[in-house]
Amino acid sequence: MSREITITALKYNPSDCNSKPTFVDYKLQEEPGMTLYIALTKIKATVDHDLSSDFVCRAGICGACGMIINGKPKLACKTLTSDFKDGKIELLPLPTFPLIKDLSVDTGSWMKNMSIRVNSWIVTNEKTDISKLEKRIEPEVADEVFELDRCIECGLCVAGCSTAIMRKDFVGAVGLNRVARFSIDPHDERTDEDFYELIGDDEGIFGCMSLLACEDYCPKNLPLQSKIAYMRRKMIKV
Amino acid sequence: MSQENIIESLTGKTSKKKKSRIPAKLDFLQSATGLILAIFMIFHMLFVSTILISKDFMYSVTKAFELSFIFEGGSTVPVFISILIIFIIFIFHAFLAMRKFPISYKEVLRLKTHSDLMNHGDTKLWIIQVVTGFLLFFLGSVHLYIMLTNPGNIGPFASSDRVYSDTMWPLYILLLIAVEFHGAIGLYRLSVKWGWFEGSDPKKSRKRLKKAKWILSGVMLVLGAATLVAYMKIGAEHQSNYGERYTIQTEVQNAY
Amino acid sequence: MHIRYTDALIIGGGLAGLRSAIATSERGLDTIVLSLVPVKRSHSSAAQGGMQASLGNSIMGEGDNEDIHFSDTVKGSDWGCDQEVARMFVQTAPKAIRELAAWGVPWNRVVKGERAVVINAKHTTITEKEEAHGLINARDFGGTKKWRTCYTADATGHTMLYAVTNEAMKRGVVIEDKKEAISLIMKDGQCFGAIVRDLKKGGLSAYVAKGTMIATGGYGRIYKQSTNATICKGTGHAIALEAGAYLGNMEAIQFHPTPMVPSGILLTEGCRGDGGVLRDKDGYRFMPDYEPEKKDLASRDVVSRRMLEHIKKGKGVKSSYGDHLWLDISILGREHIEKNLRDVQDISMTFNGIDPADKDENGWMPVLPMQHYSMGGIRTTPKGQSVNIKGLFSCGEAACWDMHGFNRLGGNSVSETVVAGMIVGNYFADFCEETGIAIDTKMVQDELGKQDEYILGILACDGNEKIFDIKDKMRNIMQDKVGIFRNGKDLEEAVEELKILLQKTKNITVANKCRLLNPELEEAYKVPMMLKVALCVAKGARDRTESRGAHFREDYLKRDDENWLNRTISYWKNKDDLEPALKYEELDIMKMEIPPAFRGYGRKGFILENPLSQKRQEEVDKIIENHKSDRGSLQEKLMPYELQAEYKIKNQRLGDEDE
Ligand SMILES: Cc1cc2nc3c(=O)[nH]c(=O)nc-3n(C[C@H](O)[C@H](O)[C@H](O)COP(=O)(O)OP(=O)(O)OC[C@H]3O[C@@H](n4cnc5c(N)ncnc54)[C@H](O)[C@@H]3O)c2cc1C
Ligand code: HEM
Ligand code: HEM
Ligand code: SF4
Ligand code: F3S
Ligand code: FES
């Protein structure tokens, strides 16, 4: 029942001066329930020990394995090879992020910069006495914050966004969502004016051209469209 | 030169150590001008397509714009002023939207490969918007300039002559296509951009909005094409009398 | 050659490492955190079900306190834990969770009024108190008396890790990802940092520090089937081992009852905590037959074994991946699943095409016990310092300060990571403040040079073994012979075979000779490290001739408190040895607050009692009986323990005065 599939990957090692970017084909037998994690692990263990890619949790939780899979930004570990009817799968590293090698890109530095840039943490003057009862939070508000806190920094929203492709300094949906997350968190004392200081420019909220690839490719189905609109409405009023 | 500008351009902050509020205003104005133009275009289409009903009707509507109910025989001044206002909004909108254009070769290449690879609907719509916007820059300007310099030459015969005998029709075909795509996509974008009509299920509303967008483009294109054909027909019949102005043939005139 | 100096070097950017980094940076110490991957991708992010802390806000947690949490933890550990450490832990856990709440973890909150829940496979209604509205909620988990596991749906580790990382960034902690520690810098039995490989560029550099902490998580990837992330290879343990550090209880490996078949991706204990049940091929709920009291929610070691026992009786569901059982959460209803078990649903749909909210067997998910957690680790004092290497600290899953003994309770691990980050992090900061860097540049350079040569040596090696085959074999041996059910013969074979494999790693060839970014080279230096860790596990298991917690011997069915109430210490005597040396560290019953007894679940009557247990129990009973004044002084009499004053302070609960 199993068929042969062809995985084509872009190979390139920018830190090796002899390396030239090339597409390499790998043929292998498909197994039931095979994900791209399983397929690539197999390729790495048998045919090409030199192929680099990033997998950590292999369960769609950590956000490490974003790739361009037949054109679309996706989590490789959550992609089944059986989804591709013709058995041909082309893999490219995520654009926008610096390439480390082959399919491995440096999302870490990008996300770190983004986090620092939007001050991705609770800002408050309140001192918490941790031996006392915790602050009460309305359950729905907690749920709402959680909903936005589910972002796994996979970078698919950035890789799918043409604005980010053209403008290197654009914070991306991930950054805008992060700001929305803190703006509704009751622990955070920042005002809209404060958030304006972080994202009130053409590299921030006003740079977003509402292309909505972020919304369409976010593997966590975050409500990016409405949260970006929400922040835009807020920021325009500041 | 203002010191404030120097401070902001060098430090990215105002002298109060705040971010400038200008980007917010620009974003708002871009949308506002787009919205005004898009709404204007819907009414504009309804107006020019009155020719489909009858020459008289179109004539009387034209006269109404010339405020013939105030000035005897109508004046071209109000028409001139409204064209000027639209022209200014048009230029302003173009000026604001230009900020979003891909400018260098690298940007265009990245945008193009990315969009070709990904084949993502809304991204393609945006590219259509950029391309049509770019075309409108020229096509729209020509049209507006002609209108601006001939505010009196609007009417069943004057317009038809222009379309047919002055060979404006090729321009109009392009202009029509460009503007209807651009405007409808623009309205869709405005809704998702500002979260209008989101309702309880934004994903579903977005699907609906997109459908509405296609319908709007479609209807406007059909209507526009029919109108253009009507002008062509009249223009062709009227070619021998090029330059002659229309006069009212029925009693509608008395209404004003 | 590149050398960096810092006050505190923390290897590992999971919850434990980052929380420790916050502790040191609060003191103004220069802190560097290293991680194999961007820290927010550390394995802590995969923790799903929740974090234990005895807040007692929910009606089902009413009356909960440190004492009950303590007793659950000790029983869970099958009396293998260090009870003083368990006390330190339970006392600090409520503070840890409140700190996290203030840092923005959007804990699920109590909603006042009626709420529909599933308890013991029956739909029931509970009524939450008005006063509890808006406080942190909890769910049920295995091996606990009360509902104590606080959660954010089934992405608890994720939200915790993000909050802690964000706080660390806010405090300016230097976080360097894609950096791998490959050896420790040692001088006169003291650790002064690590040699680090840059995984983005491939070069080596030395990080010299006053104090070094290893918080590298677990080592589950030595097994073929594991719920652990691909990076959980135990290299942190290996570098400690190579530096001479003692590892504790390495054979104590937890197998989780409900990873999904065949991917091995975990379905959280929260599934059963919220009311899900296990079923066999006939759709029969079998756990109550084996464990009438805790049923599907006995501790993990017990449930896992019962499942395999049931499969051995022929009740497993046949599949091309072998026999498995079913996990049924469909009874919880679609709404509950889509809100509180959303990731579970997503995982199940993606990887198995099953929507667990679908009615009856359509929604059942195939599960089988697999490796999940490493109780063992770098043996430390209750302050987190290695028992035999100065300047080397460890906390989190990587450490064995020993609060889990031979089995850890679900929800106690993420809780441990932050609690240890607070407690050990502070002791670590004390140490870094008091210590100077007593090592000269030359020695550092020598160590760097040595590692450089080692890497070049691997590339130069021209043998006929393949590193990927060796790795595969190791993982199969561990799976087949050092698994849930263990016996002397298999374990003996395992040790011998692993030794052969370790020998073979010296005889490999790496095809690509590039010393920079070269995945094959990485395997070539990691697999020997993994083998050393595996050998500690296998040999420790071989020699421990009893069954305790997760360590279960078919040939020694009883827990042997007379001979084996001790901790296994494994260490590498000589660099070229092929196996670790073992020794044992006794546990003193006469100091225990809760002396060994029956856990309340699992097989009855399978204990070889130590006469001291009874004696100590009587002593304890007497102390309690004669005690008149407050709880604090009773603790001093029962079992005093040291803890920073700010953490020892009483935890306020709902209903306590001065609210
Ligand atoms: C699927 C799953 C679900 C779980 N669910 C729960 C739960 O619901 N409740 C609960 O309490 N526990 C749970 N656990 C257990 C818990 O998640 C872990 O025990 C805990 O998160 C470990 O945290 P840590 O900080 O010690 O290590 P980790 O989070 O594993 O972090 C290790 C860090 O060390 C780094 N590192 C490793 N080696 C090196 C090296 N050589 N050099 C440099 N850096 C290195 C890694 O990059 C990483 O940053 C679960 C575990 C699994 C596998
Ligand atoms: C010179 C002519 C024009 C140019 C160059 C131009 C260009 C653009 C561009 C590039 C955008 C996208 C901006 C973005 O994504 O942020 C845009 C948006 C828009 N345009 Fe135009 N346009 C022109 C004329 C018009 C006309 C005539 C209309 C009316 C039909 C119109 C209506 C809109 C609308 C409604 C939007 C959406 C506004 C927004 O996204 O904020 N434009 N235009
Ligand atoms: C106030 C300003 C405007 C006036 C008074 C005006 C007037 C007219 C008139 C009278 C016609 C009929 C043909 C003719 O007389 O040449 C026409 C056609 C047309 N105009 Fe305008 N116009 C204005 C602005 C615009 C703008 C801004 C656009 C788009 C950028 C535009 C797009 C078109 C198109 C596409 C047609 C062809 C109509 C069709 O095919 O049905 N017009 N306009
Ligand atoms: S917003 Fe979605 S797509 Fe973007 S990084 Fe977060 S999870 Fe990934
Ligand atoms: S794709 Fe990009 S442009 Fe905005 S809506 Fe999403 S961030
Ligand atoms: S490997 Fe973690 S999301 Fe794919």
Side-chain angles (χ1 to χ4, degrees), chain A residues 111 151-157 174 177 217-220 222 224:
Chain A
M111 290 296 168
C151 165
I152 54 174
E153 296 194 355
C154 61
L156 297 191
C157 56
V174 55
N177 173 69
Y217 296 129
C218 173
K220 289 282 153 184
L222 293 177
L224 297 172

Side-chain angles (χ1 to χ4, degrees), chain C residues 519-565:
Chain C
E520 192 182 2
L521 171 65
E522 275 168 35
E523 289 294 324
Y525 67 73
K526 275 185 199 182
V527 172
M529 289 180 161
M530 294 169 83
L531 274 165
K532 286 183 183 167
V533 172
L535 272 157
C536 292
V537 178
K539 192 171 174 190
R542 182 193 74 186
D543 288 7
R544 183 171 282 275
T545 49
E546 66 152 355
S547 291
R548 182 182 298 276
H551 171 69
F552 189 83
R553 289 282 298 249
E554 291 165 320
D555 42 357
Y556 298 91
L557 291 171
K558 292 187 176 174
R559 188 180 91 202
D560 185 350
D561 290 343
E562 195 128 35
N563 299 303
W564 285 103
L565 196 59

Side-chain angles (χ1 to χ4, degrees), chain C residues 329-374:
Chain C
I329 61 170
S330 63
I331 43 176
L332 305 181
R334 185 167 287 279
E335 197 192 332
H336 179 96
I337 292 171
E338 282 173 2
K339 174 155 187 268
N340 289 320
L341 296 168
R342 181 153 56 174
D343 276 1
V344 167
Q345 185 185 36
D346 184 32
I347 286 170
S348 170
M349 298 225 274
T350 312
F351 295 98
N352 285 38
I354 297 169
D355 180 354
D358 280 354
K359 276 267 157 295
D360 300 329
E361 55 260 50
N362 293 330
W364 297 354
M365 302 175 283
V367 293
L368 191 69
M370 292 179 200
Q371 192 287 338
H372 179 59
Y373 185 80
S374 327

